[in-house]
Amino acid sequence: MRKLILFFILLLNTFYISSQNTQIDKIKIQEDLENLLSNMSKRYVYLDYKNVDIDCIREKYSSKIDTIKTQADAILFFEYILNEFYDSHISLSTNIQDSYRLSSPIYVEIKNNKAIIKNVWLSQIKNLDIDITEAEILKFNGINFSQKINEFPTICNDKNTLDVKNWIANKIISGKYSEPRVLRLKLKTSREIDFDMDAIKLKNNKSLITSNIINEIGIIRINNSLGNNFLIKKFDEVLDSLSQTKGLILDLRNTNSGGNTYVAKGIMSRFINKELPYQKHQFTETWDNQPKIIRSWFELVTPRGIQYTKPVVVLVGRWTGSMGEGLAIGFDGMQRAKIVGSEMKRLAGSDFDFKFNNQNFGYKVILEKLYHINGTPREKYIPSNYVKQTTILKDETLEKGIILLNKIAQSKY
């Protein structure tokens, strides 16, 4: 009997401690919410340019804290808060099965209240045999696409604004890891089909870089490795092997994950013969509750190694991301290459990592704005040799790049 009483006492103590921990966890979540919103209010450099209601976020999400029961709930709670800022350069450092992916191999744009496929990651997809460019998305998993936008799990977004709609549309087709992604499409031929996004297979690039020669033109493709410091040595080896070509095409259309300035400057430094600026930084600082002061500076590239002096064309697209975008505007700003392609991924600014006080994961905040040296915001840059994708039957960007490079090479010799 005494053992039974002790068992119940221990059981009650366990329930009591568990309930206390739940209460403490919720208090800590509220604390992290306040710190997150304070950080975004003070440090997120694009806040003034976005239609974000911080007070609404604080009120609506504070009221949802009582519904958080698990760690997975907490992760989604903070993920959805960051989604309120509709910025693809902001994300948590973790995810779960019910999280949304960060991107997809298709880019959608809202036109006349219709979701139209504007870009397809042709250079990286290996099994697409249906031309879905310019197709209208009618449904997602059987639900009208406009309804999916309205039901997207953000609370304070103004889903009637075009910027928000476009961002949400692309999050929807990126999809949750745990759910299928079946699109009902109306092709430009007016034929309707069901298209399974999860059937798309991407090329598995095991090497950091690939290269080949086409009609005396060297072609170097960066395989999403701009964050790998070992790329510099590999790039040097490949570039040296192409020294006798009449020109070079640098393909940055598979740099979706971005990278770092160390690698980017290591690449650019092989193409210039004097120190040159490649991008402008702008940072707003304030100390001791004093007025905000803007600091700005140009970042320079210093020549390195044996220079490649022949003409260069850089290929870009919707999956040229972050540091890939920095490379493109750098080559353009230094007047060392012609840029060919479409809009890039348009990841605004430079991201920095922050930790929550009470969670075992963190998040990114954009602290710096980045510009082309001519003053154009990096995320607004459009190549002067623009390519509108109209088909998947041929690589229109590569074709235009080769034509342009041949034209430049002929004019120089």
Side-chain angles (χ1 to χ4, degrees):
M1 184 68 178
R2 184 176 178 182
K3 289 183 179 180
L4 188 60
I5 292 172
L6 286 173
F7 170 78
F8 278 114
I9 290 173
L10 288 172
L11 190 62
L12 287 171
N13 282 337
T14 300
F15 282 135
Y16 175 77
I17 292 170
S18 176
S19 66
Q20 290 300 302
N21 284 338
T22 301
Q23 173 120 9
I24 291 171
D25 286 345
K26 290 178 179 180
I27 291 172
K28 288 180 178 179
I29 287 173
Q30 180 71 56
E31 178 186 322
D32 285 337
L33 167 62
E34 294 296 338
N35 288 338
L36 170 62
L37 295 182
S38 175
N39 227 359
M40 297 299 285
S41 298
K42 294 176 181 177
R43 301 192 182 194
Y44 177 49
V45 294
Y46 291 100
L47 186 62
D48 292 341
Y49 297 86
K50 286 180 169 281
N51 184 20
V52 176
D53 189 337
I54 295 289
D55 291 333
C56 173
I57 296 172
R58 178 178 288 106
E59 177 188 349
K60 297 295 185 181
Y61 283 86
S62 292
S63 69
K64 293 169 68 71
I65 290 176
D66 280 341
T67 67
I68 297 173
K69 305 297 182 184
T70 65
Q71 178 73 357
D73 292 340
I75 290 171
L76 285 182
F77 174 80
F78 288 109
E79 180 181 316
Y80 292 168
I81 290 174
L82 293 182
N83 285 346
E84 297 285 353
F85 294 85
Y86 57 100
D87 186 332
S88 295
H89 220 180
I90 295 174
S91 62
L92 290 184
S93 62
T94 189
N95 60 64
I96 59 172
Q97 280 298 102
D98 285 331
S99 293
Y100 282 87
R101 296 175 180 86
L102 298 181
S103 63
S104 83
I106 289 172
Y107 180 81
V108 177
E109 194 170 85
I110 304 296
K111 292 183 179 179
N112 300 320
N113 289 319
K114 295 179 179 180
I116 306 298
I117 295 176
K118 185 175 181 182
N119 299 99
V120 179
W121 201 2
L122 179 64
S123 62
Q124 190 63 13
I125 295 174
K126 65 179 182 180
N127 67 327
L128 189 57
D129 56 4
I130 300 174
D131 193 353
I132 60 173
T133 54
E134 302 177 9
E136 178 187 356
I137 303 176
L138 303 175
K139 295 182 178 181
F140 182 90
N141 290 342
I143 300 173
N144 287 338
F145 201 73
S146 58
Q147 182 180 340
K148 289 293 295 184
I149 290 176
N150 291 331
E151 293 176 351
F152 186 76
T154 48
I155 306 169
C156 299
N157 283 145
D158 182 357
K159 294 174 181 174
N160 293 315
T161 62
L162 187 58
D163 284 348
V164 173
K165 268 188 178 181
N166 277 330
W167 188 83
I168 290 177
N170 285 285
K171 288 301 284 186
I172 291 170
I173 64 168
S174 296
K176 295 181 179 181
Y177 294 100
S178 61
E179 294 180 350
R181 295 178 291 169
V182 178
L183 310 181
R184 183 67 178 177
L185 299 180
K186 182 179 181 181
L187 303 178
K188 53 188 173 185
T189 61
S190 295
R191 174 186 165 208
E192 292 190 13
I193 64 167
D194 287 325
F195 182 77
D196 185 359
M197 290 274 293
D198 294 313
I200 292 177
K201 296 187 184 303
L202 299 179
K203 296 174 183 176
N204 183 17
N205 305 118
K206 295 181 180 180
S207 59
L208 302 178
I209 187 173
T210 53
S211 66
N212 65 322
I213 298 175
I214 299 178
N215 297 327
E216 298 182 80
I217 295 174
I219 299 178
I220 296 178
R221 187 172 191 261
I222 306 296
N223 294 322
N224 206 29
S225 54
L226 288 176
N228 189 320
N229 296 334
F230 292 100
L231 175 63
I232 298 176
K233 183 178 180 181
K234 187 65 179 175
F235 185 87
D236 286 345
E237 294 171 356
V238 171
L239 185 62
D240 289 342
S241 73
L242 299 174
S243 62
Q244 300 305 311
T245 54
K246 67 180 180 182
L248 182 76
I249 289 178
L250 179 59
D251 191 345
L252 299 178
R253 293 177 294 169
N254 182 27
T255 57
N256 191 45
S257 299
N260 62 61
T261 55
Y262 173 68
V263 173
K265 294 204 298 190
I267 291 172
M268 288 185 286
S269 62
R270 292 294 311 275
F271 295 89
I272 54 175
N273 58 15
K274 62 180 179 180
E275 194 170 66
L276 291 171
Y278 87 95
Q279 73 176 354
K280 178 183 176 182
H281 296 250
Q282 182 175 298
F283 176 76
T284 302
E285 65 178 351
T286 178
W287 302 96
D288 301 323
N289 293 319
Q290 295 302 299
K292 293 181 179 180
I293 304 298
I294 293 177
R295 294 172 54 199
S296 62
W297 64 95
F298 289 100
E299 187 168 2
L300 306 178
V301 182
T302 301
R304 179 183 66 88
I306 300 172
Q307 298 299 300
Y308 184 89
T309 60
K310 310 289 181 55
V312 180
V313 165
V314 175
L315 307 184
V316 299
R318 287 286 181 183
W319 292 269
T320 303
S322 194
M323 200 62 249
E325 298 176 77
L327 260 178
I329 66 166
F331 271 104
D332 191 49
M334 296 187 300
Q335 298 183 2
R336 190 55 193 90
K338 298 294 184 181
I339 316 302
V340 176
S342 69
E343 299 89 347
M344 297 185 285
K345 197 168 183 180
R346 296 194 153 181
L347 296 179
S350 181
D351 61 300
F352 292 79
D353 293 318
F354 288 82
K355 294 282 287 184
F356 288 107
N357 290 337
N358 304 302
Q359 312 299 323
N360 60 359
F361 53 88
Y363 60 97
K364 294 183 181 295
V365 180
I366 311 304
L367 303 186
E368 288 181 359
K369 295 178 183 178
L370 298 174
Y371 297 86
H372 189 291
I373 63 169
N374 66 12
T376 302
R378 188 182 73 182
E379 66 275 12
K380 300 292 185 182
Y381 175 80
I382 297 176
S384 55
N385 299 283
Y386 187 80
V387 178
K388 178 183 178 183
Q389 189 177 25
T390 62
T391 181
I392 66 159
L393 301 180
K394 58 182 180 178
D395 191 337
E396 296 165 294
T397 300
L398 178 59
E399 286 185 0
K400 184 163 185 171
I402 291 174
I403 291 171
L404 179 60
L405 191 56
N406 277 322
K407 184 178 179 180
I408 297 170
Q410 287 171 7
S411 68
K412 286 183 175 292
Y413 301 103

